[in-house]
Coordinates of all heavy atoms in Angstrom, one line a residue:
M35 N 0.8 -1.2 0.0 CA 0.0 0.0 0.0 C 0.9 1.2 0.0 O 1.8 1.3 0.7 CB -0.9 0.0 1.2 CG -1.9 1.1 1.2 SD -3.1 0.8 2.5 CE -4.1 2.2 2.4
I36 N 0.6 2.2 -0.8 CA 1.4 3.4 -1.0 C 0.8 4.5 0.0 O -0.4 4.6 0.2 CB 1.3 3.9 -2.5 CG1 2.3 5.0 -2.7 CG2 -0.1 4.3 -2.9 CD1 2.5 5.3 -4.2
T37 N 1.7 5.3 0.5 CA 1.3 6.4 1.3 C 1.2 7.6 0.5 O 2.1 8.0 -0.2 CB 2.4 6.6 2.4 OG1 2.6 5.4 3.1 CG2 2.0 7.7 3.4
I38 N 0.0 8.2 0.5 CA -0.3 9.4 -0.3 C -0.1 10.6 0.6 O -0.6 10.7 1.7 CB -1.7 9.4 -0.8 CG1 -2.0 8.1 -1.6 CG2 -2.0 10.6 -1.6 CD1 -3.4 7.9 -2.0
P39 N 0.7 11.6 0.1 CA 0.9 12.9 0.9 C -0.4 13.6 1.1 O -1.3 13.4 0.3 CB 1.9 13.7 0.1 CG 2.5 12.7 -0.8 CD 1.6 11.6 -1.0
R40 N -0.6 14.3 2.2 CA -1.8 15.0 2.5 C -2.3 16.0 1.4 O -3.5 16.1 1.1 CB -1.7 15.8 3.8 CG -1.6 14.9 5.0 CD -1.6 15.7 6.3 NE -1.2 14.9 7.4 CZ -2.0 14.8 8.5 NH1 -3.1 15.5 8.5 NH2 -1.7 14.0 9.4
A41 N -1.3 16.7 0.8 CA -1.7 17.7 -0.3 C -2.3 16.9 -1.5 O -3.3 17.4 -2.1 CB -0.5 18.5 -0.7
A42 N -1.6 15.8 -1.8 CA -2.1 15.0 -3.0 C -3.5 14.4 -2.7 O -4.4 14.3 -3.5 CB -1.1 14.0 -3.3
L43 N -3.7 13.9 -1.4 CA -4.9 13.3 -1.1 C -6.1 14.4 -1.1 O -7.2 14.1 -1.5 CB -4.8 12.7 0.3 CG -6.0 11.9 0.8 CD1 -6.3 10.7 -0.2 CD2 -5.8 11.3 2.2
A44 N -5.7 15.6 -0.6 CA -6.7 16.7 -0.7 C -7.1 17.0 -2.1 O -8.3 17.3 -2.4 CB -6.2 17.9 0.1
D45 N -6.1 17.0 -3.0 CA -6.4 17.3 -4.4 C -7.3 16.2 -5.0 O -8.2 16.5 -5.8 CB -5.0 17.4 -5.2 CG -5.3 17.6 -6.6 OD1 -6.0 18.6 -7.0 OD2 -4.7 16.9 -7.5
L46 N -7.0 14.9 -4.6 CA -7.8 13.8 -5.1 C -9.2 13.9 -4.7 O -10.2 13.7 -5.4 CB -7.2 12.5 -4.7 CG -5.9 12.1 -5.4 CD1 -5.4 10.8 -4.8 CD2 -6.2 11.9 -6.9
H47 N -9.4 14.3 -3.4 CA -10.8 14.5 -2.8 C -11.5 15.6 -3.5 O -12.7 15.6 -3.7 CB -10.7 14.7 -1.3 CG -10.7 13.4 -0.6 ND1 -11.8 12.6 -0.5 CD2 -9.7 12.8 0.1 CE1 -11.4 11.5 0.2 NE2 -10.2 11.6 0.6
E48 N -10.7 16.7 -3.9 CA -11.3 17.8 -4.6 C -11.8 17.4 -6.0 O -12.8 17.8 -6.5 CB -10.3 19.0 -4.6 CG -10.9 20.2 -5.3 CD -9.9 21.3 -5.2 OE1 -9.2 21.5 -4.2 OE2 -9.7 22.0 -6.3
R49 N -11.0 16.6 -6.6 CA -11.3 16.2 -8.0 C -12.3 15.1 -8.1 O -13.2 15.1 -9.0 CB -10.0 15.6 -8.7 CG -9.0 16.8 -9.0 CD -7.7 16.3 -9.5 NE -7.6 15.2 -10.3 CZ -6.5 14.4 -10.5 NH1 -5.4 14.7 -9.8 NH2 -6.6 13.4 -11.3
F50 N -12.3 14.1 -7.2 CA -13.2 12.9 -7.3 C -14.2 12.8 -6.2 O -15.1 12.0 -6.3 CB -12.3 11.6 -7.4 CG -11.4 11.6 -8.6 CD1 -10.1 11.9 -8.4 CD2 -11.9 11.4 -9.8 CE1 -9.2 11.9 -9.5 CE2 -11.1 11.4 -10.9 CZ -9.8 11.6 -10.8
G51 N -14.1 13.5 -5.1 CA -15.1 13.6 -4.1 C -15.4 12.2 -3.4 O -14.5 11.5 -3.0
H52 N -16.7 11.9 -3.3 CA -17.1 10.7 -2.6 C -16.7 9.4 -3.3 O -16.8 8.3 -2.6 CB -18.6 10.7 -2.4 CG -19.4 10.5 -3.6 ND1 -19.5 11.5 -4.6 CD2 -20.0 9.5 -4.1 CE1 -20.2 11.1 -5.6 NE2 -20.6 9.8 -5.3
L53 N -16.3 9.4 -4.5 CA -15.9 8.2 -5.2 C -14.7 7.5 -4.5 O -14.6 6.3 -4.5 CB -15.6 8.4 -6.7 CG -16.7 8.7 -7.6 CD1 -16.2 9.1 -9.0 CD2 -17.7 7.5 -7.7
L54 N -13.8 8.3 -3.9 CA -12.6 7.7 -3.3 C -13.0 6.8 -2.1 O -12.3 5.9 -1.8 CB -11.7 8.8 -2.9 CG -11.1 9.6 -4.0 CD1 -10.2 10.7 -3.5 CD2 -10.3 8.8 -5.0
S55 N -14.1 7.2 -1.4 CA -14.5 6.4 -0.2 C -15.3 5.2 -0.7 O -15.4 4.2 0.1 CB -15.2 7.2 0.8 OG -16.4 7.7 0.1
E56 N -15.9 5.2 -1.8 CA -16.7 4.1 -2.3 C -15.9 2.9 -2.8 O -16.4 1.7 -2.7 CB -17.7 4.5 -3.4 CG -18.8 5.5 -2.9 CD -19.8 5.9 -3.9 OE1 -19.8 5.2 -5.0 OE2 -20.5 6.9 -3.7
Y57 N -14.8 3.1 -3.4 CA -14.0 2.0 -3.9 C -12.7 1.9 -3.2 O -11.9 2.9 -3.1 CB -13.7 2.3 -5.4 CG -15.0 2.3 -6.2 CD1 -15.5 3.6 -6.6 CD2 -15.6 1.2 -6.6 CE1 -16.7 3.6 -7.4 CE2 -16.8 1.2 -7.4 CZ -17.3 2.4 -7.7 OH -18.5 2.4 -8.4
D58 N -12.4 0.7 -2.7 CA -11.2 0.5 -1.9 C -10.0 0.5 -2.8 O -9.9 -0.2 -3.8 CB -11.3 -0.9 -1.2 CG -10.2 -1.1 -0.2 OD1 -9.7 -0.1 0.4 OD2 -9.7 -2.2 -0.1
G59 N -9.0 1.3 -2.5 CA -7.8 1.4 -3.3 C -7.8 2.3 -4.5 O -6.8 2.4 -5.2
L60 N -8.9 3.0 -4.7 CA -9.0 3.9 -5.8 C -8.1 5.1 -5.7 O -7.5 5.5 -6.7 CB -10.5 4.4 -6.0 CG -10.7 5.3 -7.2 CD1 -10.4 4.6 -8.5 CD2 -12.2 5.8 -7.2
A61 N -8.0 5.6 -4.5 CA -7.1 6.8 -4.3 C -5.7 6.4 -4.6 O -5.0 7.2 -5.3 CB -7.3 7.3 -2.9
E62 N -5.3 5.3 -4.2 CA -3.9 4.8 -4.4 C -3.6 4.6 -5.9 O -2.6 5.0 -6.4 CB -3.6 3.5 -3.6 CG -3.4 3.7 -2.1 CD -4.8 3.7 -1.4 OE1 -5.8 3.5 -2.1 OE2 -4.8 4.0 -0.2
A63 N -4.6 4.0 -6.6 CA -4.5 3.8 -8.0 C -4.4 5.1 -8.8 O -3.5 5.2 -9.7 CB -5.6 2.9 -8.5
I64 N -5.2 6.0 -8.5 CA -5.2 7.3 -9.2 C -3.9 8.0 -8.9 O -3.3 8.6 -9.8 CB -6.4 8.1 -8.8 CG1 -7.7 7.5 -9.3 CG2 -6.3 9.6 -9.3 CD1 -9.0 8.1 -8.9
Y65 N -3.4 8.0 -7.6 CA -2.2 8.7 -7.3 C -1.0 8.0 -8.0 O -0.2 8.8 -8.6 CB -2.0 8.6 -5.8 CG -0.7 9.3 -5.3 CD1 -0.6 10.6 -5.3 CD2 0.4 8.5 -4.8 CE1 0.5 11.3 -4.9 CE2 1.5 9.1 -4.4 CZ 1.6 10.5 -4.4 OH 2.7 11.1 -4.0
E66 N -1.0 6.7 -8.1 CA 0.1 6.1 -8.9 C 0.1 6.4 -10.3 O 1.1 6.6 -11.0 CB 0.1 4.5 -8.7 CG 0.5 4.1 -7.3 CD 0.4 2.6 -7.1 OE1 0.1 1.9 -8.1 OE2 0.6 2.1 -6.0
H67 N -1.2 6.5 -10.9 CA -1.3 6.9 -12.3 C -0.8 8.3 -12.5 O -0.2 8.5 -13.5 CB -2.8 6.7 -12.7 CG -3.1 7.1 -14.1 ND1 -2.7 6.3 -15.2 CD2 -3.7 8.2 -14.6 CE1 -3.0 6.9 -16.3 NE2 -3.6 8.0 -16.0
D68 N -1.2 9.2 -11.6 CA -0.7 10.6 -11.8 C 0.8 10.7 -11.7 O 1.4 11.4 -12.4 CB -1.4 11.5 -10.7 CG -2.8 11.7 -11.0 OD1 -3.3 11.5 -12.1 OD2 -3.5 12.3 -10.1
L69 N 1.4 9.9 -10.8 CA 2.8 9.9 -10.6 C 3.5 9.3 -11.9 O 4.5 9.8 -12.3 CB 3.3 9.0 -9.4 CG 3.2 9.7 -8.1 CD1 3.7 8.7 -7.0 CD2 4.0 10.9 -8.0
A70 N 2.9 8.3 -12.5 CA 3.5 7.7 -13.7 C 3.5 8.7 -14.8 O 4.4 8.7 -15.7 CB 2.7 6.5 -14.1
K71 N 2.4 9.6 -14.9 CA 2.4 10.6 -15.9 C 3.4 11.7 -15.8 O 3.9 12.3 -16.7 CB 1.0 11.2 -16.0 CG -0.1 10.3 -16.5 CD -1.4 11.1 -16.8 CE -1.9 11.8 -15.6 NZ -3.2 12.4 -15.9
T72 N 3.8 12.0 -14.5 CA 4.7 13.1 -14.3 C 6.2 12.7 -14.2 O 7.0 13.5 -14.3 CB 4.3 13.8 -13.0 OG1 4.4 12.9 -11.9 CG2 2.9 14.4 -13.1
T73 N 6.4 11.4 -14.0 CA 7.8 11.0 -14.0 C 8.4 10.8 -15.4 O 7.7 10.5 -16.3 CB 8.0 9.7 -13.2 OG1 7.2 8.7 -13.8 CG2 7.6 9.8 -11.8
K74 N 9.7 11.0 -15.5 CA 10.4 10.9 -16.8 C 10.6 9.4 -17.1 O 10.8 8.6 -16.2 CB 11.7 11.6 -16.7 CG 11.6 13.1 -16.7 CD 13.0 13.7 -16.7 CE 12.9 15.2 -16.7 NZ 14.2 15.8 -16.8
A75 N 10.5 9.1 -18.3 CA 10.8 7.7 -18.8 C 12.3 7.4 -18.6 O 13.1 8.3 -18.6 CB 10.4 7.6 -20.2
A76 N 12.5 6.1 -18.4 CA 13.9 5.7 -18.3 C 14.7 6.0 -19.6 O 14.1 5.9 -20.7 CB 14.0 4.2 -18.0
P77 N 15.9 6.3 -19.5 CA 16.7 6.6 -20.8 C 16.8 5.3 -21.6 O 16.9 4.2 -21.1 CB 18.0 7.1 -20.3 CG 18.1 6.6 -18.9 CD 16.8 6.5 -18.4
V78 N 16.8 5.5 -22.9 CA 17.0 4.4 -23.8 C 18.4 3.9 -23.8 O 19.3 4.6 -23.9 CB 16.6 4.8 -25.2 CG1 16.7 3.7 -26.2 CG2 15.2 5.4 -25.3
K79 N 18.5 2.6 -23.6 CA 19.9 2.0 -23.5 C 20.6 2.0 -24.8 O 21.8 2.4 -24.9 CB 19.8 0.5 -23.0 CG 19.3 0.4 -21.6 CD 19.3 -1.0 -21.1 CE 18.8 -1.1 -19.7 NZ 18.7 -2.4 -19.2
E80 N 19.9 1.7 -25.9 CA 20.6 1.7 -27.2 C 20.0 2.8 -28.0 O 18.8 2.8 -28.4 CB 20.4 0.3 -27.9 CG 21.0 -0.8 -27.2 CD 20.8 -2.1 -27.9 OE1 20.4 -2.1 -29.1 OE2 21.0 -3.1 -27.3
R81 N 20.8 3.8 -28.3 CA 20.3 4.9 -29.2 C 20.9 4.7 -30.6 O 22.0 4.1 -30.8 CB 20.8 6.2 -28.7 CG 20.2 6.5 -27.3 CD 20.8 7.8 -26.8 NE 20.2 8.1 -25.5 CZ 19.5 9.2 -25.2 NH1 19.3 10.1 -26.1 NH2 19.0 9.4 -24.0
P82 N 20.1 5.1 -31.6 CA 20.6 4.9 -33.0 C 21.9 5.8 -33.2 O 21.9 6.9 -32.7 CB 19.5 5.4 -33.8 CG 18.6 6.1 -33.0 CD 18.8 5.6 -31.6
Q83 N 22.8 5.3 -33.8 CA 24.1 6.0 -34.1 C 23.9 6.8 -35.4 O 23.5 6.3 -36.4 CB 25.3 5.1 -34.2 CG 25.6 4.4 -32.9 CD 26.8 3.5 -33.0 OE1 27.3 3.3 -34.1 NE2 27.2 2.9 -31.9
M84 N 24.3 8.1 -35.3 CA 24.3 8.9 -36.4 C 25.7 9.1 -36.9 O 26.5 9.7 -36.1 CB 23.6 10.3 -36.1 CG 22.2 10.2 -35.6 SD 21.1 9.5 -36.9 CE 21.0 10.8 -38.0
F85 N 26.0 8.7 -38.1 CA 27.4 8.8 -38.6 C 27.5 10.1 -39.4 O 26.6 10.5 -40.1 CB 27.7 7.6 -39.5 CG 27.6 6.3 -38.7 CD1 26.6 5.4 -38.9 CD2 28.7 5.9 -37.8 CE1 26.5 4.2 -38.2 CE2 28.6 4.7 -37.1 CZ 27.5 3.9 -37.3
P86 N 28.7 10.8 -39.2 CA 28.8 12.0 -40.0 C 28.9 11.7 -41.5 O 29.4 10.7 -41.9 CB 30.2 12.5 -39.5 CG 30.8 11.4 -38.8 CD 29.8 10.4 -38.4
G87 N 28.2 12.6 -42.3 CA 28.2 12.5 -43.7 C 27.0 11.7 -44.2 O 26.9 11.6 -45.4
V88 N 26.2 11.2 -43.4 CA 25.0 10.4 -43.8 C 23.8 11.4 -43.8 O 23.5 12.0 -42.8 CB 24.7 9.2 -42.9 CG1 23.4 8.5 -43.3 CG2 25.9 8.3 -42.9
R89 N 23.2 11.5 -45.0 CA 22.0 12.4 -45.1 C 20.8 11.6 -44.9 O 20.6 10.5 -45.4 CB 22.0 13.0 -46.5 CG 23.1 13.9 -46.7 CD 23.0 14.7 -48.0 NE 22.0 14.2 -48.9 CZ 21.8 14.6 -50.1 NH1 22.7 15.4 -50.7 NH2 20.8 14.2 -50.9
M90 N 19.9 12.1 -44.1 CA 18.7 11.4 -43.7 C 17.5 12.0 -44.4 O 16.3 11.7 -44.2 CB 18.4 11.5 -42.2 CG 19.5 10.9 -41.4 SD 19.8 9.1 -41.7 CE 18.3 8.5 -41.0
S91 N 17.6 13.0 -45.4 CA 16.5 13.6 -46.0 C 16.5 13.2 -47.5 O 17.4 12.5 -48.0 CB 16.6 15.1 -45.9 OG 17.8 15.6 -46.6
L92 N 15.4 13.6 -48.2 CA 15.3 13.2 -49.6 C 16.3 14.0 -50.4 O 16.7 15.1 -50.0 CB 13.9 13.6 -50.1 CG 12.8 12.7 -49.5 CD1 11.4 13.3 -50.0 CD2 12.9 11.3 -50.0
P93 N 16.7 13.5 -51.6 CA 17.6 14.3 -52.5 C 16.9 15.6 -52.9 O 15.7 15.7 -53.0 CB 17.8 13.4 -53.7 CG 17.3 12.0 -53.3 CD 16.4 12.2 -52.1
A94 N 17.8 16.6 -53.2 CA 17.3 17.9 -53.5 C 16.6 18.0 -54.9 O 15.9 18.9 -55.2 CB 18.4 18.9 -53.5
G95 N 16.7 17.0 -55.7 CA 16.2 17.0 -57.1 C 14.7 16.7 -57.1 O 14.1 16.8 -58.2
R96 N 14.0 16.4 -56.0 CA 12.6 16.2 -56.0 C 11.8 17.5 -56.2 O 12.2 18.5 -55.7 CB 12.1 15.5 -54.7 CG 12.9 14.3 -54.3 CD 12.3 13.1 -55.1 NE 13.0 11.9 -54.7 CZ 12.8 10.8 -55.3 NH1 11.8 10.6 -56.1 NH2 13.5 9.7 -54.9
V97 N 10.7 17.3 -57.0 CA 9.9 18.5 -57.3 C 8.5 18.2 -56.7 O 7.9 17.2 -56.9 CB 9.7 18.7 -58.8 CG1 8.8 19.9 -59.1 CG2 11.1 19.0 -59.4
V98 N 8.0 19.2 -56.0 CA 6.6 19.1 -55.4 C 5.6 19.6 -56.4 O 5.7 20.7 -57.0 CB 6.5 19.9 -54.1 CG1 5.1 19.9 -53.6 CG2 7.6 19.5 -53.1
Q99 N 4.6 18.7 -56.7 CA 3.6 19.1 -57.7 C 2.4 19.7 -57.0 O 2.0 19.3 -55.9 CB 3.1 17.8 -58.4 CG 4.2 17.1 -59.2 CD 4.6 17.9 -60.4 OE1 3.9 18.6 -61.0 NE2 5.9 17.8 -60.7
P100 N 1.8 20.8 -57.6 CA 0.6 21.4 -57.0 C -0.6 20.4 -57.1 O -0.7 19.6 -58.0 CB 0.4 22.6 -57.9 CG 1.1 22.3 -59.2 CD 2.2 21.4 -58.9
V101 N -1.4 20.6 -56.1 CA -2.6 19.7 -56.0 C -3.8 20.6 -55.9 O -3.8 21.6 -55.2 CB -2.5 18.8 -54.7 CG1 -3.8 18.0 -54.5 CG2 -1.3 17.9 -54.8
R102 N -4.9 20.2 -56.6 CA -6.1 21.0 -56.6 C -7.1 20.2 -55.7 O -7.2 19.0 -55.8 CB -6.7 21.2 -57.9 CG -5.9 22.1 -58.8 CD -6.5 22.3 -60.1 NE -5.6 23.1 -61.0 CZ -6.1 23.8 -61.9 NH1 -7.3 23.9 -62.2 NH2 -5.2 24.5 -62.6
V103 N -7.8 20.9 -54.8 CA -8.8 20.3 -54.0 C -10.1 21.0 -54.2 O -10.2 22.2 -54.3 CB -8.4 20.5 -52.5 CG1 -9.5 20.0 -51.5 CG2 -7.0 20.0 -52.2
G104 N -11.1 20.1 -54.4 CA -12.5 20.6 -54.7 C -13.4 20.1 -53.7 O -13.3 19.0 -53.1
V105 N -14.5 20.8 -53.4 CA -15.5 20.4 -52.5 C -16.8 20.3 -53.2 O -17.2 21.2 -53.9 CB -15.7 21.5 -51.3 CG1 -16.8 21.1 -50.4 CG2 -14.4 21.6 -50.6
V106 N -17.5 19.2 -53.1 CA -18.8 18.9 -53.7 C -19.9 19.1 -52.7 O -19.9 18.4 -51.7 CB -18.8 17.5 -54.3 CG1 -20.2 17.3 -55.0 CG2 -17.7 17.3 -55.3
L107 N -20.8 20.0 -52.9 CA -21.9 20.3 -52.0 C -23.2 19.6 -52.6 O -23.6 19.9 -53.6 CB -22.1 21.8 -51.8 CG -20.9 22.6 -51.3 CD1 -21.2 24.0 -51.3 CD2 -20.6 22.1 -49.9
R108 N -23.7 18.6 -51.8 CA -24.9 18.0 -52.2 C -25.5 17.4 -50.9 O -24.9 17.3 -49.9 CB -24.7 16.9 -53.2 CG -23.8 15.8 -52.8 CD -23.7 14.8 -53.9 NE -22.6 13.8 -53.6 CZ -22.1 13.0 -54.4 NH1 -22.5 12.9 -55.6 NH2 -21.2 12.1 -54.0
K109 N -26.8 17.0 -51.0 CA -27.4 16.4 -49.8 C -26.8 15.0 -49.5 O -26.4 14.3 -50.4 CB -28.9 16.2 -50.1 CG -29.7 17.5 -50.2 CD -31.2 17.2 -50.4 CE -32.0 18.4 -50.4 NZ -33.4 18.2 -50.6
P110 N -26.7 14.7 -48.2 CA -26.2 13.4 -47.8 C -27.1 12.3 -48.3 O -28.3 12.5 -48.4 CB -26.2 13.5 -46.3 CG -26.3 14.9 -45.9 CD -27.0 15.6 -47.0
A111 N -26.5 11.2 -48.6 CA -27.3 10.0 -49.1 C -28.3 9.5 -48.1 O -29.4 9.0 -48.5 CB -26.3 8.9 -49.5
N112 N -28.1 9.7 -46.8 CA -29.0 9.1 -45.9 C -30.1 10.1 -45.5 O -31.0 9.8 -44.6 CB -28.3 8.6 -44.6 CG -27.6 9.8 -43.9 OD1 -27.5 10.9 -44.5 ND2 -27.0 9.5 -42.8
R113 N -30.2 11.2 -46.1 CA -31.3 12.2 -45.8 C -32.2 12.3 -47.0 O -31.8 12.2 -48.2 CB -30.6 13.6 -45.7 CG -29.7 13.7 -44.5 CD -30.5 14.0 -43.3 NE -29.6 14.0 -42.1 CZ -29.9 14.4 -41.0 NH1 -31.2 14.8 -40.7 NH2 -29.1 14.5 -40.0
A114 N -33.5 12.4 -46.8 CA -34.5 12.5 -47.8 C -34.7 13.9 -48.3 O -34.4 14.8 -47.7 CB -35.8 11.9 -47.4

């Protein structure tokens, strides 16, 4: 069982009210969930290596073509 600080418990009671007393362990579960959201993730052990001189983008010779977008206004099929 986790010990919840008074300030955090007061915040939980303000947010969830009487629900915390109706379900056994709900306050602890919500507090652990909130802690998991605020803690940083563990660092990645293996990071991808970036070698100098390797380009990760598309070649400069690519040309972007313009695109036309049209909107068709009509009644929906499911409406009479």
Side-chain angles (χ1 to χ4, degrees):
M35 185 170 179
I36 189 168
T37 304
I38 303 174
R40 289 182 191 237
L43 189 59
D45 179 52
L46 288 175
H47 275 287
E48 184 178 314
R49 287 169 42 200
F50 298 104
H52 69 284
L53 287 175
L54 296 178
S55 60
E56 291 183 17
Y57 298 100
D58 187 35
L60 181 62
E62 290 83 6
I64 293 174
Y65 180 69
E66 286 179 6
H67 178 72
D68 287 347
L69 279 180
K71 288 193 305 186
T72 58
T73 56
K74 291 184 177 180
V78 179
K79 291 182 181 179
E80 295 181 16
R81 296 179 181 240
Q83 294 182 353
M84 300 299 289
F85 299 105
V88 175
R89 291 187 354 189
M90 300 301 287
S91 61
L92 293 174
R96 303 281 179 180
V97 177
V98 177
Q99 298 293 327
V101 176
R102 292 184 185 204
V103 177
V105 178
V106 178
L107 301 174
R108 60 181 174 191
K109 290 184 178 180
N112 59 354
R113 299 278 179 168

